[in-house]
Amino acid sequence: MKTFYLLVLLLLPTLSFADSNAWQSWREGKAILIMRHTLAPGTGDPAGFVLQDCSTQRNLSSEGQQQAKRWGELLRQQHNGDITVYSSQWCRCLDTARLMQLATPEVLPALNSFFAGRGDGNKQTQALVQRFSTAQTAQPTVLVTHQVNFTALTGIFPRSGEAAILALPLTQPASVLARVASP
């Protein structure tokens, strides 16, 4: 048991260093941050869901709204300059992106949900890989999307508000530099 604790103590600086390197790569535009929208209780969308009508969709809870604001604070602590934000067209993603108050989010249809046959998962994932096929972005970049998109790209089943820092150029599966829990 002592060996286990010693191993954990030895690995802690390495884990911290890896996270530090991942954040540095993100700041330098050599990685992107992909996140699942913050807490919107439930699964999928109600019957009769209309993309242009938020009242017909599953939306952020008050906790989800607070999570999004905390994400904005965390990302501003990591980088005090301009940040590019892309979002799915779903209201819970756009609301997450807007509440972070980093930049006006740009809609990127490849980030739209394809849960329950509402899109083409392979085509959308390939579009993301193609969109971020360069070794660097002009500035730190955030993608706000859904669980199915996140999982298709990384193999990770994220919690609401969880993120991952992915190395560029983007591949499938993506090279995950770090996972980041919701603040």
Side-chain angles (χ1 to χ4, degrees):
M1 192 57 123
K2 288 181 183 179
T3 304
F4 172 76
Y5 289 116
L6 180 59
L7 183 60
V8 169
L9 288 174
L10 290 172
L11 285 176
L12 281 177
T14 305
L15 294 173
S16 170
F17 182 69
D19 285 343
S20 174
N21 283 341
W23 282 114
Q24 185 62 33
S25 291
W26 177 74
R27 283 189 290 275
E28 293 172 355
K30 296 176 183 173
I32 57 174
L33 184 137
I34 187 171
M35 69 179 294
R36 181 181 180 187
H37 60 77
T38 55
L39 187 61
T43 303
D45 286 291
F49 141 86
V50 176
L51 188 57
Q52 296 76 19
D53 184 354
C54 293
S55 70
T56 67
Q57 298 179 35
R58 200 174 97 229
N59 292 293
L60 299 182
S61 65
S62 59
E63 173 57 26
Q65 294 168 356
Q66 293 306 310
Q67 278 179 317
K69 291 175 184 176
R70 289 191 303 269
W71 261 111
E73 292 168 11
L74 172 65
L75 293 172
R76 282 187 296 280
Q77 288 171 3
Q78 290 297 327
H79 180 72
N80 62 3
D82 292 335
I83 297 172
T84 301
V85 180
Y86 294 99
S87 176
S88 158
Q89 291 174 283
W90 266 247
C91 294
R92 56 187 170 270
C93 290
L94 282 167
D95 288 345
T96 297
R98 289 176 182 137
L99 287 166
M100 288 191 291
Q101 297 181 337
L102 301 171
T104 301
E106 184 178 328
V107 168
L108 185 59
L111 296 171
N112 287 353
S113 178
F114 49 82
F115 181 75
R118 286 197 171 100
D120 185 331
N122 290 329
K123 186 176 180 182
Q124 288 173 236
T125 303
Q126 287 311 307
L128 278 178
V129 169
Q130 180 62 35
R131 173 70 175 81
F132 296 100
S133 64
T134 60
Q136 191 161 355
T137 57
Q139 59 195 38
T141 300
V142 175
L143 311 178
V144 183
T145 192
H146 306 266
Q147 173 271 310
V148 291
N149 305 69
F150 194 118
T151 301
L153 192 57
T154 66
I156 297 168
F157 191 100
R159 299 177 69 102
S160 293
E162 184 177 351
I165 299 174
L166 309 178
L168 291 176
L170 198 56
T171 58
Q172 188 185 11
S175 176
V176 178
L177 301 178
R179 288 178 73 171
V180 186
S182 180

Coordinates of all heavy atoms in Angstrom, one line a residue, residues 110 114 119-129 152 172:
A110 N -21.1 21.2 -38.2 CA -20.4 19.9 -37.9 C -20.5 19.6 -36.4 O -20.4 18.4 -36.0 CB -19.0 19.9 -38.4
F114 N -26.0 14.6 -33.6 CA -26.5 13.6 -34.6 C -27.2 12.4 -33.8 O -27.3 11.3 -34.3 CB -25.5 13.1 -35.6 CG -24.2 12.7 -34.9 CD1 -24.0 11.4 -34.4 CD2 -23.1 13.6 -35.0 CE1 -22.8 11.1 -33.8 CE2 -21.9 13.2 -34.4 CZ -21.7 12.0 -33.9
G119 N -28.7 13.6 -37.9 CA -27.5 14.1 -38.7 C -26.7 12.9 -39.1 O -27.1 11.7 -38.9
D120 N -25.6 13.1 -39.7 CA -24.7 12.1 -40.2 C -23.4 12.2 -39.4 O -22.5 13.0 -39.6 CB -24.4 12.3 -41.7 CG -23.6 11.2 -42.3 OD1 -22.8 10.6 -41.6 OD2 -23.8 10.9 -43.5
G121 N -23.3 11.3 -38.4 CA -22.2 11.3 -37.5 C -20.8 11.2 -38.2 O -19.9 12.0 -37.8
N122 N -20.7 10.3 -39.1 CA -19.4 10.1 -39.8 C -19.1 11.3 -40.6 O -17.9 11.8 -40.6 CB -19.5 8.9 -40.7 CG -19.5 7.6 -39.9 OD1 -18.9 7.5 -38.8 ND2 -20.1 6.6 -40.4
K123 N -20.0 11.9 -41.3 CA -19.8 13.0 -42.2 C -19.4 14.3 -41.3 O -18.5 15.0 -41.7 CB -21.0 13.3 -43.0 CG -20.9 14.4 -44.0 CD -22.1 14.6 -44.9 CE -22.0 15.6 -45.9 NZ -23.3 15.8 -46.7
Q124 N -20.1 14.5 -40.2 CA -19.9 15.6 -39.4 C -18.5 15.5 -38.7 O -17.8 16.5 -38.6 CB -21.0 15.8 -38.3 CG -22.3 16.3 -38.9 CD -23.4 16.2 -37.9 OE1 -24.4 15.6 -38.2 NE2 -23.2 16.9 -36.8
T125 N -18.2 14.3 -38.2 CA -16.9 14.1 -37.6 C -15.7 14.3 -38.6 O -14.7 15.0 -38.3 CB -16.8 12.7 -37.0 OG1 -17.9 12.5 -36.0 CG2 -15.5 12.5 -36.3
Q126 N -15.9 13.8 -39.8 CA -14.9 14.1 -40.8 C -14.8 15.5 -41.2 O -13.7 16.0 -41.5 CB -15.2 13.2 -42.1 CG -14.9 11.7 -41.9 CD -13.5 11.5 -41.3 OE1 -12.5 11.9 -41.8 NE2 -13.5 10.8 -40.2
A127 N -15.9 16.2 -41.2 CA -15.9 17.7 -41.4 C -15.1 18.4 -40.4 O -14.3 19.4 -40.7 CB -17.3 18.2 -41.5
L128 N -15.2 18.0 -39.1 CA -14.4 18.6 -38.0 C -12.9 18.3 -38.2 O -12.1 19.2 -38.1 CB -14.9 18.1 -36.7 CG -16.1 18.7 -36.0 CD1 -16.4 18.1 -34.7 CD2 -15.8 20.2 -35.8
V129 N -12.6 17.1 -38.5 CA -11.2 16.7 -38.7 C -10.6 17.5 -39.9 O -9.5 18.1 -39.8 CB -11.1 15.2 -39.0 CG1 -9.7 14.8 -39.5 CG2 -11.5 14.4 -37.7
A152 N -17.6 10.6 -30.6 CA -17.2 10.1 -31.9 C -15.8 10.6 -32.3 O -15.1 9.8 -32.9 CB -18.2 10.7 -33.0
Q172 N -8.8 11.3 -36.2 CA -9.8 10.5 -35.6 C -9.2 9.1 -35.4 O -8.9 8.5 -36.4 CB -11.0 10.5 -36.5 CG -12.2 9.8 -35.8 CD -13.4 9.6 -36.7 OE1 -13.4 9.8 -37.9 NE2 -14.5 9.2 -36.1

